Amino acid sequence: MVGHLARRSGSVLAALAIGVGVATMGAGAAWGVSSSAVGGVDQGCAGLEQPCDTSFWSPSERVGNSNIYLGYQGPGEAEVGREVGYFPSFSAPDGMPGLAVTSVTHHAPRGFEFVGAEVSSRTPPWWTDVNLDSTATVDPVTGDVTVTAPEGGWVIPTDGFRSGQLYVYLRYKVVKPYLAGTAGVTFTGTDVPASKGWMATGITREVSAFGPFGS
């Protein structure tokens, strides 16, 4: 698997560390919240090109009996004409080595147009940011985006004691006004059971400069 030192993604990873508190925490503590969407302050917008307005949600989920934890962060509000970001992230409890993610499939709300995807990792103890190779495809019927790893998958980094983080950054432009829509994510990886639906979801409300559409 080929990687290179991150340049542009540094601010994205910093925003994630602020939003979900993962940079220096063990996986068990970092993902100790419920999988339901929760509101928060505008920390999820830090370092991004205006991806959201006044809130974010950040559910997390241990995936079945696997040893991979899924975090999922997205904007609670998004303005038409702006670019927004969604952030699935992955960690390994107790620094368990050898766990990998092979693909991530993401569903955006109606009115969102896919712009691009980046995959990055952050490894302890120095928390070095590295960009990883990936391929993104869009389903012509559903509009769902699948980001696929090279052969062998994206390994979740560890130092043998602590889990690092694997991040997928999906960018969309809001092109049409709808009141609100559900975003969802699912993935495949080491010992991950087949999903019958989205593993984590959140709601993004679309707004204009004059307030929410329909208000």
Side-chain angles (χ1 to χ4, degrees):
M1 177 169 54
V2 179
H4 52 89
L5 290 180
R7 296 177 184 173
R8 179 177 173 277
S9 65
S11 61
V12 173
L13 296 179
L16 286 169
I18 293 171
V20 297
V22 298
T24 58
M25 299 175 65
W31 302 122
V33 299
S34 72
S35 61
S36 60
V38 294
V41 297
D42 192 18
Q43 294 170 328
C45 300
L48 305 180
E49 298 176 0
Q50 300 295 328
C52 53
D53 290 312
T54 60
S55 64
F56 72 88
W57 37 260
S58 184
S60 69
E61 181 87 13
R62 181 168 184 168
V63 182
N65 293 321
S66 76
N67 289 305
I68 296 178
Y69 280 75
L70 164 65
Y72 183 39
Q73 183 171 319
E77 293 183 351
E79 186 175 323
V80 172
R82 297 284 184 89
E83 187 174 297
V84 303
Y86 291 89
F87 305 92
S89 60
F90 306 89
S91 63
D94 303 318
M96 182 175 293
L99 300 181
V101 174
T102 53
S103 70
V104 174
T105 298
H106 187 258
H107 175 78
R110 291 186 303 167
F112 282 50
E113 183 178 275
F114 178 64
V115 175
E118 301 171 11
V119 181
S120 302
S121 67
R122 173 169 284 188
T123 304
W126 308 113
W127 304 103
T128 302
D129 298 339
V130 175
N131 285 342
L132 305 176
D133 291 341
S134 64
T135 302
T137 57
V138 181
D139 187 302
V141 177
T142 65
D144 296 345
V145 176
T146 297
V147 185
T148 305
E151 185 176 356
W154 303 300
V155 175
I156 299 174
T158 76
D159 62 359
F161 301 96
R162 293 167 295 178
S163 176
Q165 298 293 322
L166 175 69
Y167 301 106
V168 180
Y169 173 37
L170 297 115
R171 294 180 290 123
Y172 296 86
K173 185 173 183 179
V174 187
V175 295
K176 293 181 180 179
Y178 290 98
L179 284 175
T182 299
V185 65
T186 189
F187 74 98
T188 61
T190 306
D191 297 325
V192 176
S195 174
K196 296 181 181 179
W198 303 111
M199 295 178 178
T201 60
I203 301 295
T204 299
R205 182 179 59 165
E206 295 166 49
V207 300
S208 71
F210 304 100
F213 287 100
S215 63

